[in-house]
């Protein structure tokens, strides 16, 4: 196995696992947030504007942790600096 | 084992595990969200429009984390840049 | 072990595990959703139409994550691009 | 170990684990759904028709995830395309 | 180790684990279903006919997932197509 | 290690683990069922006949999953077709 | 390592783990059953005869799963057919 | 490593783990049983005789699963038939 | 590594793990029992004699499972029959 | 494998896992915080200003732990001192 | 690696893990016991003498399981019979 | 692999895992603290000053454990004494 | 690797893991104890003296299990008898 | 790999894991303690002095277990006696 193959394999496996594991927490957290939002709406329909606004801000915060994982996953697949280094090295050889 | 086989094996295994693990969280989160939506509807049928709308926005947010995993999984199978690199390399040989 | 055997083994194992692990979350999530739907129906039989409709939309969303896993599993068994590449390569040899 | 043995072993192990792990979620989900159905029936016997109908639709959805696993398991044992490929290859040799 | 020994070992281990793991979920699910059936009977003895009937349908659905595992386990021990293939191959040698 | 030793070892380990893991679920499920039966009896002594009958049917269903495991375990020890095949092969040598 | 040593080691380890893991479920299940029996007795002392009788039947069912494990464990130590086969084989040599 | 050393090591490790894992379940189960016994006594001091008697029968049943493990552990240390076989074999050499 | 070293290492590791794992269950079980004893005392100070007596019997039963582990641990360190066998063998050489 | 390949592989895998595992806790913690914020808003709409302000401070604190992980992940990919050291070393060679 | 090094390493690792794992259960159990003692004191300050006395007896019982682990840990470090045997053997050489 | 590569790899992997695992506890703990702060504010808006102050002190304490992990992680990447030792050694060679 | 290196490595790893794992239980146990102390103080401020005193005794007991781990950890680093033995042996060589 | 490299690697990995695992328990414990402190303050604002004081003492006790881990971690990085021994040995060579 030459260096490029190893880098490619490591990038593929890590990219997949990063988003797979990283989606677990946000999905559960958002599920909980949405669930209580619905309970609150049923309990106090008059506060619907405040509840919806707070929910969206909260979802954005939680989603951001999933986005971090997605960004790292995309970087590893499409803009991997280590891969680029070896590509450049091979090309310059 | 040559490089292409290793890349292929890593892509196959990672693609499967990514969507398998990545489906766990969203499924549970959506289950929780839908469940409380139903409880809320039974408790406050009059707020049905607001509850349904909030539920759909929430489900979309949660589903998005599953979509991230599905996208990464599809990229690894059908548009894998590392695989393409080695295919190009082999063809150019 | 030649390349084709390795690809085949990886595809078989991944296809099975993908749907096996991927069925866990949706099954539990749908169980929770159906359970609360029944509780809600018993509590508010008059809202039966809204509850049933919301339940079906929710189940469809949750089932979609299981479908993603099933699709990936089927692709790996019957339309595996890596397998096809090596088949073509062998045939063209 | 020749290729056919490896494919056979991988198919056997995967077929068993797929249905074993895949039966876990649906069994628990259905148990929860049936349990709340019974609670709801005891609480609101008059809504028995609606509850039973919703329960059966729900059970069908949950059972479907177990069916996916069973189908993949059966495909791996009785209609395995990778196994057939190697059988054909051996026969044509 | 020749091919037949490996196939036999894999079949033995998989057959055992399949039914062992596969019995976990149904047993817990049925326990939950029976438990709530008893609670419901104590709470609403008049609905005993409906509760019992729904319980039996539910138990049948849950038991079905255990049956799937048992069937796969039996197939692997007594009607294993891979084993039969190698037996036939050895006999025809 | 010759084939017979490997088959024997695999059968011993699998037989033990099958019944050990397979006893976990039914024992917990039956414990839950018996526990609620006792609660129900204390709450509604008049429904004692129906509760007892439903309990016994439920216990039989749950015990059946333990029986499956015990049967597979016994088959592996005393009526193992793979072991018999190799015994016959050795005898016929 | 000759065959007899391997069989002996496998039997020792399996015998121990079988009863160790197999005692976990029944002990917890019986603990739950006894606990609710005591709660029920305190709540409804008049139904003491029915509760005690149902408890004993239930404990017997749960204990049976522990007995299965103990029986397999004893068979592996004192009446192991594989061990006996090799003893006979060695003696007849 | 000769056969006797391997048998001894396997016996030592298995004997320890058997009682260690096997003590987990009974200890938790008995803790639960004793705990509810105390709650019941505080709630219904008049039923003290029945509660105490039922508790002791229950504890005996739960303790029995710990005893099974202890018995197997002692057999493996002090009356191990496999060890005795090899001792006899060595002595008769 | 000669036989005596292996036996010694196995005994040391097993002795430690046996009491370490074996202390987990009893400590939690006793914690639960003591906790409910205190709740019961606060709720029904008049039944203090019965509660204390039952608590002590229960603690003794739970502690017994820890004692089993401690006994096995001590036997393995100070009265290990396998170690003694090899000591005797070495001395008699 | 030369040093640079190993450093690159370790950096890729660690960068992915760091943000993946590190996103789990904050996502769940924020989900819980947002959920109770919504409950509180529904219960006490008048305190909406204080609740929202406290929520945002809290979310910032929780998000900070995710940021730590993201920062370490980015450092490992784009500003890795160990990688730079070896790059410099190779260039200076 | 000679015998003494192996014994030393095994003793060091086991001594540490024994007390580390062994401290888990008692700490949690005592935490639970102390917690309910405080609840009981707040609920029934008049029974303070009985509660405190029972708490101390209970804590002593729970602590005893931690002491067992500490004793085994200290024996392994400072009075290890296996280590002493090899020291004596080396000295007598 | 020379010493420097090994040290670098170990530092990279440890730095990532330290902050990743170390962020789990504080994020969950802070989530719980913020959540109850919001509940308390909704329940007793008049005590808002005391609650906010206590919350901030508490968050600081919890955050401190995350800071410890971040500090160790940064030390390992940017001020690693072991790495510096080997750099100095190489430079002085 | 010579003996001293192995002993040193084992001591370092064990010392760290001992206090790390050993801090888990006491921290959670003390958290629970302090939490209920605060609840009790809010519920019964008059019993503040008794509650505080009992809390401190309890915390001391729980902390003691953490101290055991810290002591073993310090012994392994600074007063390790096995390390001292080898140091003495090397010095005397 | 020479001794110094091994010691360095072991120290780096252990130092990181010690504080990472060791921060888990205290963070959760403190989270629980702070949470109930806030609940208590909202419920009984008059006891605010006692509650705050008890909270700070409790947090100090819990933080102490995190400090133990941090101290061990720092000792391993900056004052490691084993590392110093080998440094001294190398220098004296």
């Amino acid at each position: 196995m030459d260096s490029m193959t190893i880098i490619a394999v490591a990038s593929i496996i890590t990219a997949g696992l990063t988003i797979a594991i990283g989606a677990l927490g946000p999905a559960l957290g958002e599920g909980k947030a949405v669930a209580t939002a619905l309970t609150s709406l049923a309990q106090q329909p008059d506060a619907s504007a405040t509840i919806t606004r707070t929910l969206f801000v909260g979802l954005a915060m939680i989603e951001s942790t999933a986005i971090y994982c997605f960004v790292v996953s995309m970087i590893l697949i499409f803009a991997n600096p280590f891969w680029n280094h070896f590509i450049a090295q091979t090309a310059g050889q």
Side-chain angles (χ1 to χ4, degrees), chain A residues 6-90:
Chain A
I6 299 173
I7 300 282
V9 166
S11 301
I12 289 171
I13 293 176
T14 309
L17 286 186
T18 300
I19 187 63
I21 300 176
L24 199 63
L28 294 176
E30 290 177 6
K32 191 173 180 63
V34 172
T36 44
L38 296 169
T39 313
S40 302
L41 280 174
Q43 191 187 334
Q44 194 75 277
D46 299 339
S48 139
T50 322
I51 288 172
T52 310
R53 206 188 49 221
T54 310
L55 174 67
F56 287 174
V57 172
L59 286 182
M61 290 295 282
I62 303 175
E63 188 76 10
S64 75
T65 62
I67 300 286
Y68 295 163
C69 293
F70 192 57
V71 163
V72 170
S73 188
M74 285 297 106
I75 286 173
L76 290 181
I77 295 181
F78 293 114
N80 193 326
F82 303 105
W83 172 259
N84 293 342
H85 173 86
F86 282 100
I87 290 275
Q89 211 178 42
T90 311

